[in-house]
Amino acid sequence: MTEIVGKISDVEIQDLDEILEKHKEGKGNNVTLLQLIQNHYGYLPDYALKYVSSKLKIPLAELYGVATFYAQFSFTEKGKYVVTCCDGTACHVKGAPLLIEYLEDQLKIKSGETTDDKLFTLETVACLGCCAISPVIVINDVYYGNLTLNKVKKILKKVRKKASESTEAKE
Amino acid sequence: MSDETKKREIFICRSTGCNSSNAGHIQDLLAKRIAENNLNVAIKKTGCHGFCQMGPIMVIQPDNVLYVQVQPKDVDLIVKNHLKDNNVVEKLLYTDPESGAKIKDMNKVNFYMHQKPIVKEHFGKIDPESIDDYLEVGGYESLKKVLSEYSPDDVIEELKISKLRGRGGAGFPTYLKWTFARRSKGQPKYLICNGDEGDPGAFMDRSTLESDPHSVIEGMVIAGYTMGSNQGFIYTRAEYPLAIDRINKAVDSAREKGFLGENILDSGFNFDIELKTGAGAFVCGEETALMASIEGKRGMPRPRPPFPANSGLWGKPTNINNVKTYASIPKIIAKGGKWFADIGTEESGGTIIVALTGNINNSGLVEIPLGTPIRKLIYDIGGGIPEGKKFKAIQVGGPSGGCLPAKFLDTPMDNSNLTKLGAIMGSGGFIVLDDETCMVELAHFFIQFTQTESCGKCAPCRVGTKKMLDLLTKIKSGQAEMEDLDKLENIANFVKKTSLCGLGQTAPNPVLTTLKYFRDEYIAHIKYHACPALQCKDLIQYNIDPEKCIGCTLCAKNCAVDAITGVKKEPHKIDESICIRCGLCYSSCPSNAIYKTTNEYPTEEGGSE
Ligand SMILES: Cc1cc2nc3c(=O)[nH]c(=O)nc-3n(C[C@H](O)[C@H](O)[C@H](O)COP(=O)(O)O)c2cc1C
Ligand code: SF4
Ligand code: SF4
Ligand code: FES
Ligand code: FES
């Protein structure tokens, strides 16, 4: 315990203890526990899992076992802009693969990866439930529907501009 | 406004589809303008109107006018022309794809005209976040009736008469399932509402939970009373945040009003509902995997028996039904089992809710009587195939379903008919495919999905889907031999027969149906290295028609690999050896000069059935 605790800050321990407190009601449910951690961090940091594992006396392997089973859980930090492309059936037959390839090509990453500058993460999912406006992509909770390659090009350009403006502002 | 006109009310869709295209902003703007102009017009935020493709959608009553694809800049027009001057805003009306006419009366819109809304009855008409709205349309009356007049056996008898079958895929008679769970000894007993909806291309359950959550809750309380259960769970996907929010609100307000909790309506009966969210795994829609997931474990299926009715959640007797199955219960109690049975077919009562998508003019959520022919769905309601293309097939039932060609257009849709043809009804995802969809590529797509989603517990599914995927990849890229077709078919049949759960048992369906009905397309890929639908990258070329090319240079600028050469105002050319077939030039050419070709192939070969 001390060994793990030594590596994470007090603030984080406080955060995690709060999560565990919230989790008390859903006792014994590892899926809910992991969802709470991911909601907080945006992903599942290794140290967080180690901490809750030792605190709740759940074997670490059990937590990882559950986490790796479900697509929702991620083990790496995501980029500032998460581009989620739907490749469900409705989107697929309306050209989603071309859009995804275009984005992979432009961002120079594969689906599931994050750019080195941590600006973009590209994800592919199977259906966002808005199939009537397919093909669909979502960028940080904003939905774009009825897409064509040209529309995606414009959207990416806009997002990139916004991204570079905000990084410049920081510097 | 004069006396004879009733107070106007605007029903604006605030479900996921329309929200994604700015409905929230439009509602705020509309409210602001109405207030500024001192108009006596009410706004109601509602669930899904069904015609999601045309979102943002609003309906103005009592005028019965439907406005589609409303943009924020249209709000002023609506306020000025319609609300103030009583002139309908023509440009926001739905345009009939065939006649090109603007349709003023919503009841004459082809998409709505042929539907039979039962589960959808109140969608788009009530505020899903207001229990008072639900009560006003007769909500919770069925529950009152059951608690005061019906014995549990009476409920089961009514369900038997109704011929209601489960809406989650397998189509098991609901009254039988409830009878088993009712007879099962042991307490506590649990109820589960399956709202996992893992099928890509399906959104019926999401819409139901978002648009009329109380109907699901009411159905569950009646189910609890009938089977002797005091605890229910609604399981839905974390990817459905709006549905989750609305269920939570609905459960809270139902508790407040005494429709949930202890001693419901003074009957002495207790029942409560808890929401559980899944974490993205298709197999978790399968009932035994779903229960493992609720218990917080890896969502792996287990063999049945024991069936959930005897040993389900935490080893206790459990009944599991789909969202729409529960949502049908209050309607059956209200209007009687016979009324419901009369709507459907001999074997199955009521309606089917379909998510109609793909290459179709009108895409959205459709409710029609069971037994309606597929043709009616596609042409009368869906308005046919866009851009003058031809109907090729309909994919029914998601990754467990199959592709049916045009010759089955007159098949009445019900569980047994679709199963006979090699598809399944599934939960109701219907994806229309035009002649530019390659069936080999589509089979590859589905197997890739099921291969990724196979939980890996049993070998036939884990290994078999991988082998099928490898073979399909070979065929799609033109590297297969004819004997690979037999191999593919054999593996598919083997996986179907020997897998542990429904995922593996049905995963081969997309392969088997396309092999059966579109075999000549497979043969074209293998023997002639041709993709008749011009879709498989390795088998097509992009070309520029020198007659049509205006030399605008746009394509050359777009090409990431510099495969296009040519000078301004002169026909351009694509170097096939450099081209990576990304399609960018194809979609950016302003004069449609770029076209795709494939090798020649005989069209009669091998014949599809
Ligand atoms: C791989 C797989 C996925 C399934 N997904 C769902 C689903 O998303 N929703 C659903 O209601 N049923 C799904 N089912 C069917 C359920 O196991 C179960 O039969 C159903 O929820 C029972 O409800 P019903 O009797 O009301 O149809 C799935 C089955 C399998 C094999
Ligand atoms: S059939 Fe597939 S999903 Fe079902 S138990 Fe076997 S491996 Fe898992
Ligand atoms: S398809 Fe893509 S790679 Fe080929 S010529 Fe067109 S833009 Fe270039
Ligand atoms: S298939 Fe893309 S949103 Fe459903
Ligand atoms: S989401 Fe608005 S009509 Fe379906």
Side-chain angles (χ1 to χ4, degrees):
Chain A
M1 183 90 188
T2 42
E3 179 206 346
I4 304 154
V5 177
K7 283 188 199 148
I8 59 180
S9 70
D10 289 350
V11 186
E12 265 163 338
I13 290 180
Q14 210 182 331
D15 283 354
L16 283 165
D17 283 340
E18 261 171 45
I19 290 174
L20 292 180
E21 190 58 36
K22 259 196 243 163
H23 180 60
K24 264 192 184 153
E25 306 152 26
K27 55 191 174 316
N29 193 318
N30 291 339
V31 177
T32 327
L33 172 64
L34 293 169
Q35 281 171 336
L36 286 170
I37 300 174
Q38 172 140 323
N39 282 350
H40 182 78
Y41 292 96
Y43 72 113
L44 298 176
D46 184 56
Y47 62 79
L49 294 192
K50 283 190 176 136
Y51 180 78
V52 295
S53 153
S54 60
K55 187 109 188 212
L56 298 183
K57 306 214 161 35
I58 306 170
L60 190 60
E62 188 180 320
L63 285 180
Y64 269 103
V66 173
T68 49
F69 185 82
Y70 295 99
Q72 187 196 356
F73 298 118
S74 156
F75 301 98
T76 47
E77 209 175 341
K78 291 190 182 165
K80 186 162 173 230
Y81 294 92
V82 181
V83 183
T84 310
C85 308
C86 179
D87 192 20
T89 322
C91 292
H92 187 82
V93 305
K94 296 193 89 178
L98 282 181
L99 309 183
I100 295 166
E101 273 167 38
Y102 174 75
L103 286 166
E104 286 182 336
D105 188 59
Q106 288 291 312
L107 298 173
K108 304 208 163 40
I109 45 173
K110 288 274 160 215
S111 174
E113 296 176 352
T114 301
T115 51
D116 289 340
D117 58 8
K118 296 261 180 290
L119 267 183
F120 289 98
T121 297
L122 191 61
E123 287 176 348
T124 313
V125 296
C127 197
L128 294 158
C130 357
C131 330
I133 51 167
S134 59
V136 182
I137 68 172
V138 180
I139 304 180
N140 291 359
D141 298 334
V142 183
Y143 286 69
Y144 300 89
N146 292 319
L147 291 172
T148 58
L149 213 44
N150 271 334
K151 281 194 202 164
V152 172
K153 233 168 117 177
K154 280 185 200 139
I155 293 167
L156 184 64
K157 209 165 148 190
K158 244 205 237 150
V159 176
R160 270 191 165 148
K161 198 167 152 224
K162 223 162 86 194
S164 70
E165 274 165 8
S166 66
T167 41
E168 268 164 33
K170 246 189 273 161
E171 278 156 15
Chain B
M1 208 181 280
S2 59
D3 280 349
E4 66 253 39
T5 39
K6 254 175 64 193
K7 180 181 169 178
R8 275 209 177 103
E9 198 168 5
I10 303 182
F11 296 79
I12 177 160
C13 173
R14 292 300 312 278
S15 254
T16 300
C18 291
N19 278 353
S20 74
S21 46
N22 242 342
H25 178 54
I26 293 169
Q27 184 187 341
D28 293 345
L29 210 60
L30 199 57
K32 202 168 142 212
R33 292 286 181 271
I34 287 173
E36 283 166 6
N37 286 282
N38 267 324
L39 294 170
N40 185 20
V41 177
I43 298 183
K44 190 179 282 296
K45 90 170 187 290
T46 72
C48 175
H49 290 230
F51 209 174
C52 321
Q53 176 201 18
M54 289 287 159
I57 288 225
M58 62 174 77
V59 171
I60 304 188
Q61 294 293 13
D63 321 25
N64 218 15
V65 167
L66 166 80
Y67 286 143
V68 298
Q69 296 182 326
V70 179
Q71 295 303 309
K73 65 176 178 358
D74 300 324
V75 167
D76 285 339
L77 263 182
I78 295 173
V79 171
K80 185 175 173 305
N81 293 15
H82 193 139
L83 302 181
K84 284 167 104 177
D85 301 342
N86 296 313
N87 289 325
V88 170
V89 184
E90 287 267 338
K91 74 161 196 176
L92 297 175
L93 294 171
Y94 169 73
T95 316
D96 189 272
E98 226 169 277
S99 65
K102 294 274 180 194
I103 314 289
K104 230 178 242 172
D105 179 356
M106 174 174 173
N107 297 340
K108 301 220 167 88
V109 171
N110 56 358
F111 180 77
Y112 290 112
M113 228 161 58
H114 309 276
Q115 294 201 37
K116 173 84 193 165
I118 293 181
V119 170
K120 271 177 64 187
E121 185 183 0
H122 304 307
F123 288 22
K125 301 199 172 92
I126 60 171
D127 177 351
E129 292 181 17
S130 154
I131 193 168
D132 291 331
D133 268 27
Y134 185 65
L135 293 172
E136 218 169 277
V137 293
Y140 290 109
E141 288 299 321
S142 292
L143 176 63
K144 284 181 199 159
K145 195 160 141 190
V146 164
L147 291 182
S148 58
E149 297 168 24
Y150 283 53
S151 72
D153 285 329
D154 293 340
V155 178
I156 289 181
E157 186 53 30
E158 204 65 50
L159 285 187
K160 188 173 174 187
I161 297 171
S162 78
K163 295 187 185 163
L164 172 68
R165 284 175 177 256
R167 303 297 195 230
F172 194 74
T174 305
Y175 88 91
L176 266 182
K177 208 182 237 188
W178 288 25
T179 307
F180 296 147
R182 171 166 157 69
R183 284 199 201 129
S184 180
K185 301 254 176 314
Q187 277 293 343
K189 247 181 220 179
Y190 295 112
L191 288 191
I192 299 173
C193 170
N194 188 344
D196 187 52
E197 197 163 64
D199 285 22
F203 53 94
M204 303 77 54
D205 295 349
R206 171 179 65 67
S207 289
T208 305
L209 292 169
E210 281 178 7
S211 307
D212 197 4
H214 285 289
S215 66
V216 180
I217 294 173
E218 187 176 1
M220 287 182 76
V221 185
I222 295 172
Y225 168 76
T226 308
M227 288 174 265
S229 158
N230 306 110
Q231 180 64 51
F233 295 92
I234 298 181
Y235 183 91
T236 193
R237 319 165 58 185
E239 290 94 331
Y240 287 177
L242 187 62
I244 290 171
D245 185 50
R246 289 193 178 153
I247 298 164
N248 277 330
K249 284 187 177 137
V251 166
D252 286 346
S253 58
R255 229 179 254 142
E256 246 165 56
K257 296 256 183 191
F259 300 119
L260 278 178
E262 307 229 319
N263 191 18
I264 295 172
L265 300 171
D266 274 331
S267 64
F269 171 61
N270 309 331
F271 189 77
D272 218 324
I273 291 178
E274 196 181 318
L275 178 79
K276 293 280 180 183
T277 53
F282 175 61
V283 75
C284 285
E286 196 276 339
E287 52 194 36
T288 59
L290 188 151
M291 289 186 273
S293 171
I294 290 187
E295 293 169 11
K297 304 184 188 135
R298 290 166 72 95
M300 297 261 207
R302 58 156 180 78
R304 297 170 307 176
F307 285 95
N310 296 317
S311 173
L313 205 51
W314 294 293
K316 299 293 179 194
T318 303
N319 177 73
I320 177 163
N321 279 119
N322 175 259
V323 171
K324 291 156 287 170
T325 313
Y326 285 119
S328 305
I329 304 291
K331 318 279 172 171
I332 292 172
I333 299 295
K335 294 196 179 158
K338 175 146 188 335
W339 162 81
F340 194 81
D342 285 346
I343 292 166
T345 63
E346 194 52 42
E347 63 157 38
S348 185
T351 52
I352 162 177
I353 301 197
V354 166
L356 184 64
T357 61
N359 308 121
I360 182 101
N361 272 317
N362 298 337
S363 177
L365 201 68
V366 174
E367 185 167 12
I368 37 179
L370 274 155
T372 305
I374 300 173
R375 183 186 301 279
K376 187 160 183 175
L377 176 66
I378 294 176
Y379 290 96
D380 295 350
I381 297 169
I385 320 295
E387 296 167 34
K389 288 182 192 150
K390 251 181 68 191
F391 170 84
K392 180 168 188 176
I394 184 154
Q395 205 286 332
V396 190
S400 322
C403 295
L404 306 178
K407 69 173 175 184
F408 298 125
L409 275 174
D410 293 307
T411 307
M413 282 179 279
D414 66 15
N415 292 83
S416 60
N417 277 336
L418 292 176
T419 309
K420 252 184 260 157
L421 299 178
I424 60 160
M425 181 95 93
S427 55
F430 280 60
I431 294 152
V432 182
L433 311 171
D434 66 18
D435 47 6
E436 288 185 12
T437 312
C438 171
M439 299 319 249
V440 178
E441 207 281 335
L442 193 70
H444 179 272
F445 165 79
F446 279 119
I447 294 297
Q448 190 161 41
F449 177 83
T450 35
Q451 196 258 321
T452 320
E453 294 294 331
S454 163
C455 79
K457 184 164 172 174
C458 70
C461 171
R462 184 183 64 235
V463 182
T465 49
K466 180 77 178 67
K467 289 216 160 125
M468 284 193 279
L469 184 65
D470 290 345
L471 284 168
L472 286 162
T473 309
K474 253 171 98 182
I475 299 173
K476 169 172 122 116
S477 55
Q479 289 167 1
E481 312 287 334
M482 279 305 282
E483 62 194 42
D484 287 330
L485 269 193
D486 297 332
K487 264 194 216 157
L488 182 62
E489 203 154 13
N490 288 338
I491 298 172
N493 281 316
F494 179 75
V495 173
K496 192 174 171 124
K497 281 193 205 100
T498 54
S499 289
L500 170 66
C501 87
L503 190 150
Q505 288 155 13
T506 56
N509 285 349
V511 173
L512 289 168
T513 49
T514 47
L515 273 173
K516 189 165 171 195
Y517 303 124
F518 299 95
R519 187 178 277 270
D520 48 356
E521 227 170 298
Y522 280 88
I523 294 172
H525 283 72
I526 297 173
K527 272 197 182 164
Y528 305 97
H529 299 179
C531 175
L534 299 174
Q535 212 191 339
C536 292
K537 275 190 162 184
D538 294 319
L539 308 180
I540 58 166
Q541 294 94 44
Y542 283 86
N543 317 278
I544 299 179
D545 182 348
E547 302 281 312
K548 285 194 184 162
C549 177
I550 52 171
C552 70
T553 74
L554 217 67
C555 61
K557 274 193 204 125
N558 270 311
C559 181
V561 293
D562 291 327
I564 308 184
T565 49
V567 285
K568 221 176 165 157
K569 295 204 174 136
E570 281 186 26
H572 282 49
K573 234 179 129 51
I574 296 176
D575 185 340
E576 211 205 294
S577 63
I578 306 176
C579 170
I580 53 168
R581 292 159 194 121
C582 71
L584 250 185
C585 57
Y586 182 75
S587 64
S588 59
C589 177
S591 72
N592 285 326
I594 299 177
Y595 63 99
K596 297 185 270 186
T597 50
T598 188
N599 285 346
E600 288 211 13
Y601 57 94
T603 39
E604 309 291 308
E605 179 95 22
S608 39
E609 277 215 359

